[in-house]
Every structure is written in C-alpha cells, then in structure tokens.
Amino acid sequence: MKTAPELWGLLGEAQQLPYGAAQIALIDQVLRHVDTTDDAALKFSARLYATTAYIYGGEPVRAFPTFSWCVADFDRNPSPYHERWMHNLLWLFKNMVHSMTRFPELPLERAYAVLDDMERRYRESGHGLQPVYKHRYLVAQHVGLTDEAADWFRKWQAAPRNPLSDCAGCDPTSLVNHLAAEGRFEEAVELATPVLAGDLSCSEQPQSILSELMVVYLKTGRLQEAADAHRRSYLVERNNLADLWGIGDHIDFCARTGNEHRGLEILQRHIDWLDRAPSPAAAMNFAACAVQLLRRIIAIGHGDSPVRRAGRPDTPAAELAVELETFATDLAARFDARNGTGHQSEVIRERMSAEPYGVEVSLSPTARRVPVGTPEPVRVEEPVVTIDESATPAELIDLAEQHYREDQGDALRAVLAAYDARHDDPADPSLAGRLWTLRGFVLPDDAVEETAAAWQRAADLFTEAGDTARASAVRARLALYRARDGEPNAELLSVIDADVAVQEELGDPGSRASALIRLSQVYRLLDRLDDANEVGDRADRVAAETGDQRRMAHHAMVRAQNRAMAGRSEEAIEAARSAWVFYREHGPIRETAEAGMVLGQLTDDPEEAVTALGVPLAFGLEGAQLPVRVTRGRALMRLDRAAEAIDDFVEALALWAEQGQAAPAQAAPGQAAPGQAAPGQAAPGQAAPDQAASKEAEKAGKAGQGGEDEIAWIAPGLFVRQELAQAYHQANRPVEAAEVAEEALLGFERLGFDEPAADTRFLLAAVYRDLQDTDRALKIYHDLIEQLDGNPAGRGQVGEQAGQLLYDVDRDSEAALTFRAAAEALRDAGDLVGELRVLRKRLMALNYADQVPEAEEVIELAARRYAELPAESAAEPGVIWGRSVFAFEVGNLLMRRGRYAEALPHLYGAPERLREIGAVDDADRLDGMLAEALLRSGSPKEAERILGALLKRMRPDAPTRDLASELYDEVLNRLNDR
C-alpha cells in the first residue's frame, strides 16, 4: 500500500511524461491505490489528470468515468481544492463533448445534455460562451445539420475569446477546416500564417493546424509548404495512438498527390492500431483513407502488394481494400443510425472514392531531384581535322598517332575513319600493327574483348615484322588492361616487367617512360605500393627527358594515385593539382574530368574540391558520379553550404539505389568502380561509405558471413543517408533531417552497426531538440548515456548536451544533476578542460535552481581543478576565457542573493585576463559586474574609477554600454549625496 505523499510523487512523475502508454500506466498505478488514502484532494486530482491522460494518450473511452467522478465530487462536496482545479474541470467539458460524438454507442442526447451542463457552468463561473458555441457547431457539423452548424458558427466567431477558449492554435485549426470546406483556401492561409509564427504550446499544435493546411497549401499552389506541413505534422502524430484520425488524413494526402508508396508505408506502420483505435470515429476515418489509398495502389497495378498485420497472414492490397471498405461503411451506418441522418455515410463514401488532386508533390526527403550547382566544364576545342585526300596509308597512320599523343580523340577517330574508307589494311606487318594498336585505343570502354583482340593482333603483327620493342610494348599494354579489368596476377606482372627490360635496351625515352609507368600501375593494383612509387619515380625522371608536358601530366595522375594509396597525402595532392592545372588548360575534357575527380577527392581545400568535382559531374564521367557526389557533398558541408550538399547526397542515394538493382558497376580502365577503394575516394579525414560499411561489418562480426550482399549494397547507402540527415540538420530543415536519420538508424540497428547507430541517435536528439520535442530528445540522450557505459568521453559529451537541453527548458535541478555526471565522465576520460566547461554550466543550473550550498561546492571544486591544470593548458585562450566567465557566473550567483562583498575576490583580475586574449566585450561585462559589486558593498569611489575608465574605452555600440552608463549615473548620484 502506498502513502498519499508517495502517490503525489508518482502523479508528479506522470505529469512529466509525454502523453501515451507509459504515462497512462503510471496514472493507473496511482488510481489503484488512491482510494486507500484519506486525501480527498489527491483522489480528485488523480482522476482529473487521468481524464486528460486518457484523452491525449489514445484511450478516451476511459476518460468518461473519471470525468464523471470528478464532476460528481465537485458538486457533492465543494472544497478548496475544487476551486484550485475548477478551470481544468471546466476545460475538460469540451473534450467530453468532442469525445462523445466519436462513439456511436453513446446516445446523441447525452452529448447535448453535457453541452447544456457545460453552458450552465460556464455562465455560473462568469465565463463567456465562445467555447460552448464552438462545440455546438462541431456537434451540428458531425451530425450533418448544415443550417444549424452555420448558425452556431456565426455565434462562435462573433463571441469574444475567454480563458476557456481553445488555444491560439486549436481555434484557428477549426476555422481553417471550415474555410477549406467552403473552398476559401487563400483566406485559410492568411489566417494560419501568423498562428504558425507565434508560440504554440498546446500538445495538439502545431501538428493539427499543419495537417489541415496540407490540402490548403496544395490548392493555393504552395507545393513545398504542403510537403513541409505533411512531414512536420506526421512526424509528431505518428507516435501517438490518439492521432489515428490525423494519420488517416496523411494517408489520404499521400494517395492523392502521387505518393502511393509513401502512403502504403504509413498504412503498414499503423494498420495494427485499428485493433486498439482511440475511437470508432478515428478508426472509421483511418479505414476510409486507407481504402482510397489501396484503390490507387490497385489502379497503378500493385493490387497484389502484401500488407503485414500482427497475428494474421499478409493481406494483398486489393483484398484489404474490400475488408476496410466494409469496416468503414458499417461504422458510418452506426453513426447515422445514432444521429438520425445519412451524413457520415456520405462523408465516408466521398473519402473512399476521392480522386487525385492532379498535382504530384515530392514528399520523400530522399527523392531524386534535378541536380543543381554543376558548372559547365572547361572545354578545350580540338583543332579542325583536315585530312589530305592524297595522304598515303603511312601518312594517315602517322597523323593518327600524332592525334593520339596529343589526346585528340575526335581527330584520331576521324583519321581512322578516313583510313578505313580509303584503304585496306597495310601489307606491311609493322604498319598494320600500328594501325591495330590505334584501333584498340578508340574502342568503347565496355568493348573489353574487342580491345584485347585488337592489341593481340597488333602484337602478333609486330612480331611478324621483327619489331621486338613495339610487340613487347603492346603486350605490356594488353597485360595492364587485363589487370585493370580483372584480377592482377604474377603472370601479367611478368609481361609488363619484361617489357621494361626490352625498352631499356631498345626503346627511346618515351617508350622507356611508358614501360615504367605501366609497371608502376600494376604494382599499385597488386598493392605493392612501395614498388609502385619507386618505379613511378623512375618513370617520372625518364619522362622529364622527353620534355613532353602532356606525358608528364599523365605521370602526375598516376603519381597522385600511388601516393594517395601509400598515405602520402601532401605529395598526392600536389601531383593531382599539377595534372588538373595542365588538363584544365589544354584538355581534353575526359582527362580534365578524371584529374578533377582525383584532385577533388584528395584536396583538403573544400573550395578547390567543389570546383574540381564539378567537371566530372558535368562531363558524366563513367563510374565517378557516386563517389564524386558524396565527396562534393562533404566539401559543401565544410563550406557551410548544406542546402547545396543536400542535392548531392540525394543524388548519391539515387545512384546507389540504381546500382543495388543491378550488378556492381565495372570501372573504366584506370578508374576504381563505385564502392571500391579508389585513391582519395573519401574526403580528407573521412571514410568512403563502402569503407565505413566494411569497417563496421568487421566490428559487428559480420565480415565474411552470409548477408555480404546486404552489407555491400545496403550499408554504404545508410552512411550516405546519415550524411544527408546531417546536411538537412545544418540547413535548418529538421523535419527532413529526422526522417532521413531515422531511416539510417533502422538500417544500422538491423545490421548491428553500433557506433554509427549511436552517432545517428546523437544527431536525432539534436534534431528533436530543434523541433522542440524535448521529451524525445532527452530520451535519446539518456539511452545513449546508458549505452556508452564504457566510453566516458562519449558519455560526457552526450551528458553535456542533455544537461544543456534541460537548462534551456528551465528544468534546472535536473540539468545540474546531468551536468554533474557529465563533468565526472569527462574527468574520467582525461578531458580536464571539458570538465571545467561543464562545471561552469552546472553552476549556472544550480544558481537558477536556487541550490546555493551545492553551487558553493562547485565553486570550490572548480578552484581546485583550475589549480591542478598543467601550465600549458591553463595558458590556452579558451581556458582563460572559461575561467573568467566562470568568475562571472560566481558573481551572478552571489550578487543575485545580495552577497556583493563575497563576489569581489572572484571578480578581481577576470576582466584583465579577458582583455589579454582579445575578449573585449566579455571583459567590459565583467568590469561592469565588478563595479556594481563594489558599489553595493560600500565602495562607490572604486566603482566610479572602474566605470569611468570603462566608458572611455568602450565602443559606442558596445553591447553593455547602456548598462554601464546607467550604473555610472547611479554611482555619481551616490557620491553626490554624500
């Protein structure tokens, strides 16, 4: 048996919980024991609050007996506690009337009787009848009494608001609904705009008015606002059974705006709520909206799509549509039988058969959009090809080789086309070998076997001609091609290595450089990075002998990749930049795009990365779009251009989805395939999505197990979603951030990726904080703190954020306790500066919680901690600033309680320390506090000296100048009075 004080405590705990099952469970616990006490106020208060909890927690039918008990107790035995809670009791009459219309088994006469009782009590208590008129209007509207509803509507609008009127969001919500029903959409927007801009503290807002505005925005051409209204309202309503009616409206909106897939996801998420619907009316509306959606699903050819239901076999969409149509129709008939009209049946028929709005709205924050922000690449025009009609076969082949060396692909193809139109293959095997080598160069990237065949024929022809050097070079080129296309191996290496020896003996500097650069590349493919770099350096030295700048740019590209793979990032960036500069000036565009891709992925300069990566995106470089999108998105985030980064991450997700539906994309020769570890694929300091996925798979013990395909294709997309959520958050679009982050979190949890799941939860907490969903944010923070039991640094970081949120919502005692645990965790992690930062925040919370003894303990503790800091740490500007601002908070604590003299020792010296590090405004503020403490403690002359000097050096626009001037006037008056 629990005592009355214990039950009051439990009731207080329940009031801190969000509406829902957990709160109701705690309330029920109180109600089980409340009648064993002699506390009449507790019995009344518990049942009164239970009524509210049942209504907003999704169990309104349970509110009828608790409310009736409270009314009877109020009338039977008037007591002081009744006076205290009379407003709450009168307010709940509105909820009762509304709820009674939603249960067809309750006679309509009872609703009218409650309305009459409500009117009597409002009159007797001196309140106006505006809320009564509104609820008479709502009852008439429900029954379908059009003229009567119009009459009550006019009275409602004419009556002045009073303390029992619905809140500043709920009254306009009903009015928006009325205006929309009359097609007065622009008026509805005009009405709602200032409401949304105001402070809506009601638990039903802003989600209720946003839900009403979805169609209003759509009808007025505000498509983005319509999508935002849907996302914001559904984000709140989806977690509360009491909002099942509103969730049906979201299904309807999706079905009629071309978002059938999203509507089906929402239906799937909530279909089981029908079994415990808050009211028959809510179930009826939800079912009717589901029927309308399912009919759309059938119409677009997906009637066999299964819908999962707990405890039942999967139900095809077409079959479920029939079942729910019967369910909704039968309920409407029950309401009409109760009401004596056919209105509800008509409403439900119209809802189930509603046609699409005729405009599609993108509701998914991951839906592909038209890419933006992709600059036109620099295009170096190739010279006009003039082919002499009298050119011999040898002259044409010479010309083609010249174009090949100059990277003039179009010209090369034109010359070869002219050759094929004019001549047969040469009889001279050496000349024919040169021709077939060139033919291999111009074949498409995906013509792998044709290219190999062309070069094999060229090698055979050179051998026939006795041209050992050229035969060896073509075989080496073919071996490198095979190594890139498939699996490099010792046999292919031996062919390329042998060619180096041949060219050293027989070749010119150009041939020797080409042989060495091929060997360098195959070493890289074999992951022999030291050999790759050593041979590459030899190749560079030989290439320099040729004086061929284009050849040296090609070598720089290879060097950039070799250095990057070996972790020599500065050299890699330098090499990539030199190649980028050359190709950007001289072309061709393909090489410019490849150089831009490599530089953009390697550079630590985000501006340079954005510029460079724009070229491969504009060119459409095969195999590069996905990693380039991710990398450029990260660079844009570093530049605080999150809105642009969103487009890149969304496009990356779309590309990943496309690749997940097909075989892994094959890389073009010399490039890494998407998802493979290309040099510099990740931005500096960040792993590429596929690399992060592999790392987490190893941690989760899933590497090498079944489900590798899932990790290979699903997991990297989850990391991109995580980054997209961060971009939405940084771009101040928290609703989209929440939706995308939750999708990523579900995936990480399913794969057992603990660390990225924790990171995503941390992001979600910040997003919910921005959405002012404090309870959900705090729950995530508290769950994270428990999960980070062995990670004191992480626990401290999360605890600091949780404490700050509690402090921001004026839950100062809880904030102080949370800051205390966070400070201790940071100390355990060795972060002494972090501990001191959090101690300052704890002091602030204790100050406003009026817990002075604990605050004084913190002051002493912080003094010891600052004394223990290493001299190097204590001299850091950030630490000096923190110590001085801590002094300000000590002064604030003491001076708020009139303890001015005690504040002085803490304030002396703090302004000077701040000025030494350039924190002038903070120093001015502390000088002002010190002067006030001196004045109030009996030292006005010292205060006058400090303030006089302060005002002389303060800027005219200094933030605390007015306060300092006022205080200075007060000091002068005090001195003059003497």
Side-chain angles (χ1 to χ4, degrees), residues 157-176:
Q157 291 301 297
R161 286 176 54 81
N162 65 66
L164 289 173
S165 296
D166 283 346
C167 78
C170 291
D171 254 1
T173 297
S174 301
L175 186 52
V176 166

Side-chain angles (χ1 to χ4, degrees), residues 134 137-138 141 153 156-157 167-196 200 205-220 229 249:
K134 174 182 177 179
Y137 155 73
L138 293 174
Q141 185 186 52
F153 178 82
W156 165 38
Q157 291 301 297
C167 78
C170 291
D171 254 1
T173 297
S174 301
L175 186 52
V176 166
N177 176 279
H178 179 86
L179 293 171
E182 294 188 346
R184 296 157 62 185
F185 301 112
E186 284 293 351
E187 291 179 61
V189 172
E190 185 177 349
L191 170 74
T193 300
V195 174
L196 289 172
L200 298 175
Q205 300 298 344
Q207 64 270 23
S208 293
I209 194 168
L210 286 170
S211 186
E212 293 291 346
L213 285 169
M214 293 187 299
V215 176
V216 171
Y217 283 141
L218 193 73
K219 291 289 188 178
T220 55
D249 292 343

Side-chain angles (χ1 to χ4, degrees), residues 772-842:
Q772 298 182 336
D773 192 343
T774 302
D775 291 326
R776 197 176 305 180
L778 287 173
K779 185 180 186 309
I780 293 175
Y781 282 139
H782 291 155
D783 290 346
L784 275 173
I785 290 170
E786 290 182 5
Q787 293 166 14
L788 294 169
D789 185 50
N791 180 355
R795 202 166 64 250
Q797 181 187 9
V798 175
E800 183 177 359
Q801 294 294 320
Q804 187 63 52
L805 177 55
L806 288 164
Y807 180 80
D808 290 342
V809 296
D810 296 328
R811 292 164 62 174
D812 300 312
S813 294
E814 296 173 76
L817 288 171
T818 306
F819 283 138
R820 175 178 179 173
E824 291 170 352
L826 290 172
R827 183 168 183 80
D828 290 343
D831 185 357
L832 305 182
V833 174
E835 179 197 14
L836 286 164
R837 180 184 64 248
V838 177
L839 284 176
R840 173 171 54 83
K841 295 182 178 183
R842 182 184 170 200

